[in-house]
């Protein structure tokens, strides 16, 4: 019989603390490859019958450099990955701090729980509050602080608003959007459109149309009919590329790529209705297929952890696999450097963030220096995914479109490229070595090392 490590099973013991009341314990096991922090939260809600009515904090038992036991907070999927790697033997010991709740029956000892067992179940009916709702006060506090910081940055850079343009307008409506188009449907004022979106976002029903402009899918000057013909032709191109998987890569590489993509897709936005349900739902299949197609048709970049978070909101908005792939290629023209093996673009982003922080908030920067945190590596995921995972899904959609609108238009000269350049011979050899290392890293679920983030010769970013 295969060992638990070979099966990828991690034993978990949880201690629930309720003030002066006696502690309660639960024991179960999970597959670390498909268990995200969100899934773990649902498991704990189910295990202790919390029903999302109260906030609770999760921490895991670890040891510091002196070997002293200490509980570290679980705030993200990466924290959970670190817990699986460093503190899961002989079992991962968790603690949740909550308000008093009713007793509940124990789970079967070391019951292996799958995400589909909890994500698709009806845990939060009726008036019960979700975890997102419970976290709303924190989110509002964060947004308030971001607003204060933005104000300071605006003052530092002497930003000003014209009398005819005021911040924080209502979302862009369909009728207003048409005012930026000519009688033939050509976009005549792209910079003004972006500024308008920057100050109010886009109505949800209009995102499917407007995001294609923000993601630089259309060449300049297309009429309404030309845009329709363009998308039909690019859709046929995507279908052709998708049908060429086996001719563009070996069966072994296809299996490796497909496996890595699927692991991440099964952990991406599963609590959102668009991706909820069974693991073979058409939306999860579409997300897996478009990411696999991108990896195969862009061998210099291939697939890296985090790409599923970029593609997920695009697919949910477009609700069309081919159109989502076209938009994904548009945004990856700008973001693919985030996932390059040399790590140069991420290093530049860290340098820019450090300069901005030192200039706009020297007091806070001095505090980070005093704590040895001025490398800002805790911002890695923020920069990699442009803050997509730091907000609730619907809020992230608004945040992303506002962020994209802050960038100048960069339409393709002729059309958005769906096929990347091939690997050179020496690149192909290094790619094989990278994939060998990536298999090892994924087996142990390691995040990138600090050396990989700051050294141009470091490994692939994930």
């Amino acid at each position: 019989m295969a060992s638990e490590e070979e099966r990828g099973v991690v034993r978990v013991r949880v201690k629930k603390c309720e003030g002066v009341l006696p502690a309660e314990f639960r024991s179960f096991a999970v597959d670390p490859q498909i268990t995200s922090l969100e899934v773990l939260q649902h498991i704990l809600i189910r295990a202790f019958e919390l029903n999302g009515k109260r906030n609770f904090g999760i921490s895991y038992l670890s040891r510091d450099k002196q070997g002293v036991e200490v509980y570290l907070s679980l705030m993200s999927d990466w924290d959970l990955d670190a817990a699986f790697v460093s503190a899961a033997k002989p079992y991962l010991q968790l603690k949740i701090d909550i308000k008093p709740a009713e007793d509940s029956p124990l789970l079967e000892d070391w019951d292996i729980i799958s995400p589909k067992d909890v994500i698709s179940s009806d845990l939060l009916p009726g008036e019960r509050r979700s975890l997102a709702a419970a976290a709303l006060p924190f989110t509002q506090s964060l947004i308030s602080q971001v607003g204060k910081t933005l104000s300071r940055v605006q003052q530092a850079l002497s930003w000003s608003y014209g009398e005819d343009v005021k911040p924080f307008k209502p979302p862009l409506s369909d009728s207003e959007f048409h005012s930026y188009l000519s009688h033939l449907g050509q976009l005549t004022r792209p910079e003004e459109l972006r500024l308008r979106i920057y100050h109010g976002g886009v109505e949800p029903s209009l995102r499917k149309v407007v995001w294609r402009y923000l993601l630089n899918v259309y060449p300049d000057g297309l009429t309404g009919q030309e845009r329709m013909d363009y998308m039909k032709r690019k859709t046929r191109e995507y279908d052709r590329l998708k049908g060429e998987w086996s001719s563009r890569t070996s069966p072994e590489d296809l299996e490796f790529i497909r496996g890595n993509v699927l692991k991440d897709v099964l952990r991406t936005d599963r609590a959102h209705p668009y991706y909820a349900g069974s693991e073979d739902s058409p939306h999860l299949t579409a997300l897996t297929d478009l990411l696999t197609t991108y990896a195969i048709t862009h061998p210099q970049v291939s697939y890296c952890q985090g790409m599923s978070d970029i593609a997920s909101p695009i697919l949910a908005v477009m609700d069309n696999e081919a159109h989502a792939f076209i938009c994904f290629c548009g945004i990856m023209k700008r973001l693919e450097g985030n996932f390059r093996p040399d790590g140069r673009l991420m290093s530049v982003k860290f340098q820019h963030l450090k300069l901005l922080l030192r200039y706009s908030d020297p007091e806070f920067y001095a505090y980070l220096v005093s704590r040895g945190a001025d490398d800002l590596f805790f911002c890695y995921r923020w920069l990699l995914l442009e803050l997509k995972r730091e907000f609730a899904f619907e809020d992230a959609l608004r945040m992303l479109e506002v962020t994209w609108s802050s960038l100048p238009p960069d339409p393709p000269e002729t059309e958005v490229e769906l096929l990347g350049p091939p690997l050179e011979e020496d690149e192909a050899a290094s790619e094989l070595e990278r994939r060998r290392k990536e298999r090892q890293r994924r087996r142990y679920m390691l995040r990138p090392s600090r050396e990989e983030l700051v050294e141009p010769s470091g490994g692939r970013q994930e």
Side-chain angles (χ1 to χ4, degrees):
M1 180 179 295
S3 67
E4 289 175 344
E5 183 173 356
E6 291 172 342
R7 295 198 312 266
V9 171
V10 171
R11 294 184 173 189
V12 181
R13 285 184 176 173
V14 188
K15 176 182 179 181
K16 183 182 73 171
C17 298
E18 301 181 3
V20 298
L21 296 179
E24 292 185 36
F25 297 87
R26 299 290 186 271
S27 298
F28 51 87
V30 297
D31 181 350
Q33 299 296 328
I34 58 175
T35 302
S36 64
L37 180 60
E38 185 175 49
V39 169
L40 179 62
Q41 290 170 334
H42 279 280
I43 292 174
L44 296 176
I45 289 173
R46 188 177 183 182
F48 292 101
E49 293 188 353
L50 304 180
N51 296 326
K53 292 183 177 179
R54 298 173 174 85
N55 286 326
F56 61 88
I58 310 175
S59 55
Y60 70 96
L61 187 64
S62 183
R63 293 182 181 273
D64 60 18
K65 295 181 179 180
Q66 288 72 39
V68 179
E69 290 188 343
V70 58
Y71 276 96
L72 302 178
S73 297
L74 288 178
M75 303 295 293
S76 68
D77 287 342
W78 284 16
D79 293 335
L80 183 58
D81 289 349
F84 283 142
V85 171
S86 63
K89 292 184 178 181
Y91 55 85
L92 179 61
Q93 187 167 331
L94 302 180
K95 181 177 70 171
I96 58 174
D97 296 290
I98 60 175
K99 295 179 181 180
E102 298 178 1
D103 293 338
S104 60
L106 291 174
L107 292 173
E108 292 296 325
D109 198 32
W110 306 128
D111 236 359
I112 299 178
I113 301 176
S114 169
K116 65 182 180 181
D117 295 331
V118 293
I119 290 295
S120 59
S121 59
D122 186 15
L123 296 177
L124 308 174
E127 72 284 359
R128 296 176 180 175
R129 298 174 59 202
S130 66
L131 288 174
L136 185 58
F138 171 76
T139 305
Q140 293 172 333
S141 174
L142 177 62
I143 292 175
S144 174
Q145 184 59 45
V146 169
K148 294 177 182 177
T149 302
L150 177 60
S151 176
R152 297 185 63 176
V153 172
Q154 290 171 340
Q155 294 173 8
L157 300 180
S158 300
W159 289 357
S160 62
Y161 296 104
E163 293 183 358
D164 58 334
V165 180
K166 300 297 182 181
F168 312 122
K169 291 187 174 182
L172 178 74
S173 65
D174 182 71
S175 59
E176 189 178 2
F177 171 64
H178 278 80
S179 70
Y180 294 91
L181 305 177
S182 70
H183 68 284
L184 295 177
Q186 297 166 308
L187 180 63
T188 57
R189 296 176 290 153
E191 291 84 2
E192 293 181 27
L193 174 63
R194 286 176 176 258
L195 184 61
R196 172 63 182 84
I197 295 170
Y198 180 78
H199 291 301
V202 181
E203 284 189 356
S205 60
L206 195 59
R207 283 176 175 150
K208 186 179 297 186
V209 175
V210 176
W211 277 25
R212 297 173 192 171
Y213 290 100
L214 295 180
L215 298 178
N216 300 303
V217 167
Y218 295 130
D220 272 335
L222 294 186
T223 65
Q225 184 60 50
E226 288 171 341
R227 285 196 302 272
M228 292 176 60
D229 296 339
Y230 175 84
M231 292 303 293
K232 289 178 181 178
R233 178 163 53 83
K234 301 304 287 186
T235 295
R236 291 193 296 269
E237 182 181 353
Y238 170 71
D239 292 337
R240 176 177 58 81
L241 293 174
K242 182 178 176 181
E244 295 174 352
W245 287 358
S246 58
S247 62
R248 290 183 176 275
T249 190
S250 66
E252 180 185 10
D253 283 348
L254 176 57
E255 181 182 3
F256 173 72
I257 293 172
R258 187 81 170 170
N260 285 343
V261 169
L262 187 58
K263 287 177 183 177
D264 289 345
V265 165
L266 292 179
R267 300 189 296 178
T268 302
D269 298 323
R270 294 299 304 282
H272 190 269
Y274 192 82
Y275 295 107
S278 64
E279 295 179 359
D280 59 352
S281 73
H283 296 155
L284 293 178
T285 301
L287 184 59
T288 303
D289 286 353
L290 77 86
L291 289 169
T292 301
T293 304
Y294 182 86
I296 293 173
T297 55
H298 295 75
Q300 291 188 359
V301 184
S302 190
Y303 174 79
C304 297
Q305 187 176 9
M307 289 184 181
S308 60
D309 281 289
I310 297 173
S312 168
I314 297 176
L315 177 61
V317 166
M318 297 297 154
D319 196 26
N320 180 293
E321 181 183 330
H323 293 181
F325 180 83
I326 297 166
C327 293
F328 184 69
C329 288
I331 193 174
M332 287 301 291
K333 178 183 176 182
R334 178 173 62 86
L335 295 183
E336 69 170 30
N338 287 7
F339 304 95
R340 288 279 185 175
D342 55 29
R344 290 175 183 170
L345 182 58
M346 289 299 293
S347 297
V348 170
K349 290 186 175 182
F350 274 110
Q351 293 168 8
H352 290 174
L353 181 61
K354 182 180 291 189
L355 289 172
L356 178 62
L357 182 60
R358 186 163 57 188
Y359 183 76
S360 63
D361 198 342
E363 182 180 354
F364 181 50
Y365 180 76
Y367 172 79
L368 293 178
V369 172
S370 69
R371 294 294 186 269
D374 54 307
D375 52 24
L376 303 179
F377 286 153
F378 59 88
C379 302
Y380 178 77
R381 189 175 75 181
W382 304 355
L383 297 178
L384 183 73
L385 305 179
E386 299 191 322
L387 295 174
K388 180 263 177 182
R389 292 184 63 180
E390 314 313 317
F391 296 88
F393 191 87
E394 296 301 328
D395 293 335
L397 299 183
R398 176 61 51 82
M399 181 274 302
L400 287 171
E401 64 194 12
V402 169
T403 301
W404 297 337
S405 68
S406 70
L407 302 171
D410 185 25
E413 291 186 7
T414 56
E415 59 184 57
V416 64
E417 295 291 339
L418 304 189
L419 182 63
L423 281 176
E424 301 294 337
E425 187 172 344
D426 56 340
E427 290 178 323
S430 62
E431 177 72 3
L432 290 175
E433 176 64 14
R434 179 197 66 76
R435 289 184 178 180
R436 183 190 66 80
K437 292 180 179 180
E438 188 172 289
R439 288 189 184 98
Q440 184 179 18
R441 172 180 293 161
R442 284 185 173 274
R443 179 180 178 187
Y444 297 105
M445 298 188 70
L446 296 179
R447 72 178 81 182
S449 66
R450 294 195 170 198
E451 290 75 11
E452 290 176 316
L453 290 175
V454 298
E455 295 181 3
S457 59
R460 190 174 195 78
Q461 310 303 311
E462 293 190 18

